Amino acid sequence: MAKIAFLGTGAMGSAMIRNYLKGGHKVTAYNRTIAKAKPLEDAGAKIAATPIEAVEGAEVVISCLTNDDASRGSWNGENGALKGNFKPGAYAIEASTASLEWIRELDGLARAKGMNFLDCPVAGRPDLANAGKLKVFAGGAKEDVDAMRPVLDAISAAVIHFGPVGSGITFKLIYNVMGALQVAATAEGLLACEAAGIDLRVAADAFSNGATGSPHVKLHSKNMAEGIIDDPIMFTGKNRIKDTSYGIEVINSFGAQSVLGRGTRQVWEQMVEQGMELRNDSELIDALRAAHKAG
Ligand SMILES: NC(=O)c1ccc[n+]([C@@H]2O[C@H](COP(=O)([O-])OP(=O)(O)OC[C@H]3O[C@@H](n4cnc5c(N)ncnc54)[C@H](OP(=O)(O)O)[C@@H]3O)[C@@H](O)[C@H]2O)c1
């Protein structure tokens, strides 16, 4: 069993930590807002006041945070994990959906401190994280992925290895651009049906049971047609915009096209314009409806 330091006890991090504790691993957790980490004490986690404190003696350091800024500060800030006293040759695993640029920089910073590095962003909402059924998109040397397999298996239904460091986050960002596109297309399609006088519940059912019925379309068309809002919110409009922006950057960095990605980001930006970016992603339909009414 591994001695794990975990940075970030948000919806995803807390669920992953609980699964590590259930699996018999030792976890010390750090969160910027310490009060939000406290419930994990009852499950057996130690809570640290800083990332430096969290990584004391750690064999594996995993982070799951909002974005590049949050990750950069937690790894490399004043009390950042990289300044700590982890075990020599410890593994640094970045599970946040961050940019490829930052992942490459973090890989260099971690290696300079004698750590091994893997980028392991995850797919699946907090309900799948709670069930230990995430998908891990791994980037790194095969021997490092193999060495960390028991740690990655403890939170996931599948570990997919894409290639060297950076390839996990590259795939995850492309995957999330496609996901954001499907949710945006669902909102636009339903609003077009509404304009044509078609009942939204009938339309959602037909989209879900037709060739259009991907898991995203099935989930979000029902939520949008019936006004269902996740409680607690699982994924915000702001996160959709973050992932799409990092995704467009990564696609362009390889010289590939992101025409639909750019169009999709414009659709999601309507949530910011309507002051709804911290709302549930399925409420995109309400933001688009309001934007249309406002002309
Ligand atoms: N939710 C999903 O469905 C899902 C699915 C797959 C992947 N992801 C990815 O997983 C990561 C975490 O998502 P989540 O849903 O767990 O988000 P969340 O519940 O909002 O948690 C965000 C975490 O980041 C921390 N944080 C935010 N800004 C920070 C800063 N400037 N400095 C230090 N810490 C900061 C928060 O600390 P505080 O508690 O102090 O705010 C919290 O620990 C994201 O990269 C997300 O894209 C999410």
Side-chain angles (χ1 to χ4, degrees):
M1 291 302 142
K3 190 168 182 325
I4 297 173
F6 203 105
L7 313 177
T9 65
M12 298 298 282
S14 291
M16 289 151 108
I17 290 167
R18 286 182 191 281
N19 283 315
Y20 282 126
L21 293 167
K22 270 188 221 154
H25 297 279
K26 287 192 174 151
V27 181
T28 304
Y30 162 77
N31 198 52
R32 176 182 63 173
T33 311
I34 291 193
K36 288 197 208 163
K38 284 283 176 193
L40 292 164
E41 272 179 337
D42 292 341
K46 277 194 192 162
I47 307 303
T50 61
I52 282 196
E53 191 185 309
V55 303
E56 182 71 34
E59 294 159 319
V60 184
V61 183
I62 307 173
S63 140
C64 190
L65 298 155
T66 301
N67 57 15
D68 283 8
D69 287 346
S71 171
R72 186 183 290 279
S74 302
W75 286 101
N76 205 32
E78 199 186 331
N79 291 308
L82 292 174
K83 299 191 169 82
N85 197 16
F86 39 79
K87 280 227 166 125
Y91 274 82
I93 299 180
E94 182 50 275
S96 313
T97 307
S99 71
L100 173 60
E101 198 182 357
W102 165 239
I103 291 296
R104 286 180 170 153
E105 190 181 335
L106 179 56
D107 173 42
L109 292 168
R111 281 183 201 285
K113 296 284 182 180
M115 299 185 93
N116 297 296
F117 183 82
L118 291 174
D119 51 306
C120 290
V122 293
R125 303 186 338 147
D127 46 354
L128 283 184
N130 282 322
K133 290 191 173 156
L134 293 169
K135 290 210 170 84
V136 173
F137 297 153
K142 184 181 178 308
E143 58 270 26
D144 290 334
V145 176
D146 289 346
M148 283 295 101
R149 203 162 273 275
V151 169
L152 301 174
D153 282 347
I155 54 163
S156 66
V159 177
I160 308 171
H161 182 204
F162 287 92
V165 165
S167 60
I169 194 64
T170 296
F171 179 77
K172 164 71 178 170
L173 291 171
I174 295 167
Y175 178 94
N176 271 25
V177 170
M178 285 181 63
L181 199 155
Q182 290 181 33
V183 184
T186 305
E188 279 200 350
L190 285 175
L191 284 176
C193 289
E194 189 172 273
I198 294 169
D199 185 290
L200 289 194
R201 288 175 194 238
V202 176
D205 198 48
F207 281 138
S208 297
N209 290 304
T212 45
S214 72
H216 271 309
V217 170
K218 284 181 179 157
L219 173 73
H220 288 280
S221 64
K222 181 172 166 52
N223 285 358
M224 288 174 186
E226 297 182 18
I228 300 168
I229 297 165
D230 298 333
D231 182 19
I233 291 174
M234 295 211 185
F235 209 77
T236 60
K238 193 174 176 184
N239 264 340
R240 288 273 174 215
I241 294 167
K242 182 250 313 181
D243 289 359
T244 310
S245 300
Y246 290 160
I248 293 166
E249 249 172 55
V250 100
I251 290 166
N252 290 340
S253 77
F254 290 106
Q257 282 201 37
S258 58
V259 177
L260 293 176
R262 287 199 307 278
T264 298
R265 183 172 59 191
Q266 276 176 16
V267 174
W268 284 101
E269 278 166 357
Q270 302 282 320
M271 285 194 87
V272 179
E273 279 161 35
Q274 297 304 315
M276 292 177 68
E277 70 270 26
L278 296 180
R279 300 295 310 160
N280 201 44
D281 55 359
S282 55
E283 291 178 80
L284 173 65
I285 192 165
D286 300 317
L288 297 185
R289 201 184 271 118
H292 185 69
K293 273 194 190 138

